[in-house]
Amino acid sequence: MEDPAQLKEEGNKYFQADDYENAINSYTKAMKLTKDKSLQAILYRNRAACFLKTESYGQAASDASRAIDINASDIKALYRRSQALERLGKLDQAFKDVQRCATIEPHNKNFQETLRRLGANIQEKLRIEFSTDARVSNMFDILLDGTSEKEKREKAANNLIVLGREEAGAERIFQNNGVKLLLQLIETKNAEMILAAVRTLSGMCTGHKARATAILHLLGIDKICMWMAVDNEEISMAVCNLLQVITDSLSGEGEKEQHGKEAALVLDTKKDLKMITVHLLDMLVSKKVSGQGRDQALNLLSKNIPRKDLKIHDNSRTIFVIDSGLKKILKVVGQVPELPNCLPLTENTRMITSILLNKLYDDLRCDPERDNFREICEEYIKSKVDPQDMDKTLHAIQTVSGIMQGPFDLGNKLLGMTGVMEMMVALCGSEREIDQLVAVEALIHASTKLSRATFIITNGVTLLKEVYKKTKNEKIKIRALVGLCKLGSAGGTDYGLRQFAEGSTEKLAKQCRKWLCNSSIDIRTRKWAVEGLAYLTLDADVKDDFVEDKPALQAMFELAKTSDKTILYSVASTLVNCTNSYDVKELVPELVQLAQFSKQHVPEEHPKDKKDFVLKRVKRLLKAGVISALACMVKADSAILTDQTKELLARVFLALCEDPKDRGTIVAQGGGKALIPLALEGTDVGKVKASHALAKIAAISNPDIAFPGERVYEVVRPLVSLLNTERDGLQNYEALLGLTNLSGRSDKLRLKIIREKALPDIENYMFENHDQLRQAATECMCNLVVNKEVQERFVADGNDRLKLVMLLCGEDDVKVQNAAAGALAMLTAAHKKLCHKMTQVTTQWLEILQRLCLHEKLEVQHRGLVVAYNLINADQELAKKLVESEMLEILTLVGKQADDSKKQHVINVARECLVKCMDYGLIKPFSQA
């Protein structure tokens, strides 16, 4: 059995080595094994120190309190609790603890200084609180006074929003009857006032469970949903954000450290969350709800109902929505905008609904759950099929079509239902154009997979050709053409597996481009032309022609920037095809020979899919303004911007960043900023691709321009994620270059890199056999050693960090040598202890230093001489060691050189070394040659 005292000592060692996680584990184990009160107090006190270091201030305060409960005059525990309380904003309590410390040790200057500082901070806080009350009251007076000037009201509204985002301000508004006054603002029916009030409420609810619950009940979910239902996109989105913030706070996501009474309240939020879900489902089928409101309700369900991580077992929210709301969702996805009784929709509504259906279906855990989902869909579709009522039948086919855009496997099963395919064929031959429109779209969605496409090709191509020839309606013509495009591209990028005759694919593409450029056709129909190109551009001839057609490219980019977000996936797919940024399976020559021998089909590469053609296409896309379109697409605040679409966009960005010469253009057009969200959210593959593109930009761009303001700090995490050994060497290398560039900018950035736990990985790459990786890691460390926290790691006992840097100074690679010598120069300048340590870590230290000081590269030589100066300056004994070696000869040789502007900085350092040795009396003055 482990000994608690031994575990405590082990924890202390971990703490001294800055390994706080393991220190916490050791102290926790020891606590469980001992009943000795005095040892328990020490363990709690020590663990509190760890929590302070890891910025877990709530836990630090709790542990320190337990130590104080055992020993009320434990001065270390009192001081640690005061530090934690100060960070938690509880200044008055922190002040009391330091006061007790100062009473126990009245001569401790640190306690006296902390008392003075906290006293001043408390006074300032009180002053702000009193002035905040007055400001809140004044703002509401201005806003609710219809006669006040417009400019004054706008300023007051903005100030109120800012105040609502601050903890103290939010609390003052809440305590001063603010929710009731904000309600009055909403009831003014003035759009600006409504927005100000809703955004203030969002700020007040953020990360505060108790206040969010109170505000939800004070406002009432009915009213919130009514506001979201209005036909005003800005108001609808603001209210959607308010509901999202309330949901996050109720479910404990994004919670701030809470203090005071609300932290002690145990709030049962499940009932409230269920109530919100029920109201959102009711909104879906209400005719009173605008298209914008319906989209926002769908977005909220999409974001909050399915599990965020499939490792979590509980999918009860999804089961509840399927049982009580799936039919309502199916009603929305089956809407036909051209029919008179259609619900109010936007161009995005049906796509968002398909995505919600897909997310719900993916969230199911077992076959019985999936069977239940399918049965509800089948029952719903059967209830809509009515040979006597064509509109109802149309709704049934539209529902199947919508499901195929979501959970495709389920849609395939529904296609197999008796009569569904027959109805689609019948609708294709109908006289009514709306029937043909719905049937053709359903056929397009049905032919998605290669295996399915060959099954549909026999009937589908004939049907679509018939529709294409017969119809005079451009809308139907385009859709029929897209169906043909889709069936024609079933062979993918395989040049040898073509469904259509040579040249017909280019003809189809030419027609798509023509429609795309025709601004007299409505957006919804032109969107289908892009859909067609998304399939046809798998053909290398088509993609090459497309990028040559600048008007067509720009027409597609303009469509990508419109409010119709259903186009995002098609545009992203087209761009992936044009840049060849899809995954290509490498063919093993032996297997190819085997396949040819056994007369099996071998995928062929088109000549225009070779690298030089791809590079030309990338240049043309950049010239046509692809970056501004991509930046606009990334900003889409909708469920339509799925993780799969984000991955496609990340692939395109990475292909565009390939040539370093293009990266300046990408940065200038906002590409750097657009990549950050793609690197933080999406599929694993998408995040890696976007992170790699970010690394390419960060490696050679000025970070202040590429990622202005606070955005630069968001770049660090994606770059650090590429240091993972699972990533390839190029990703590791470019991430290290990016981090080197960032770490040279400011100490705040260096601290961010350390906080993201990048140091161990960077140190590992300094051991790499690969020269470029070793060089990049060493250069990064050279920048990081400016930071005090990094320096302390080198100073700490029991590690080989300094030895590694010393040995790297002795490498043959000049760039590695230079970076390591730079790091050594900074470390020895910062800490005298490291000067002594340097002479102990390796017996070769003097030989390495001499090599540096005689180096043919002036930069390396300068750094070596600075190290020598730091040793001489640190201690007379160290100076004596150098003087007694050949080092004196080297210093004299360099110092006696005639002045030379090119290497004056090198000569000056050598002379300073000699002057210092003279000051010690180790050498006699010399006359300059």
Side-chain angles (χ1 to χ4, degrees), residues 361 371 374 378 408-417:
Y361 192 72
D371 290 342
R374 190 193 73 245
E378 285 177 351
F408 183 76
D409 294 341
L410 172 65
N412 251 336
K413 285 174 186 166
L414 297 176
L415 271 181
M417 280 172 67

Side-chain angles (χ1 to χ4, degrees), residues 640-651:
I640 293 176
L641 185 63
T642 58
D643 286 350
Q644 285 71 29
T645 308
K646 286 178 189 171
E647 183 187 313
L648 295 179
L649 295 174
R651 285 174 180 275

Side-chain angles (χ1 to χ4, degrees), residues 619-679:
K619 303 280 181 198
R620 288 198 169 274
L621 286 169
L622 285 165
K623 209 171 177 184
V626 68
I627 296 296
S628 60
L630 288 171
C632 194
M633 290 163 77
V634 170
K635 285 178 195 161
D637 186 21
S638 165
I640 293 176
L641 185 63
T642 58
D643 286 350
Q644 285 71 29
T645 308
K646 286 178 189 171
E647 183 187 313
L648 295 179
L649 295 174
R651 285 174 180 275
V652 175
F653 263 121
L654 182 57
L656 296 172
C657 288
E658 189 58 40
D659 186 347
K661 290 176 197 159
D662 296 329
R663 293 174 203 168
T665 309
I666 293 166
V667 165
Q669 293 175 7
K673 291 178 280 189
L675 270 166
I676 296 170
L678 295 177

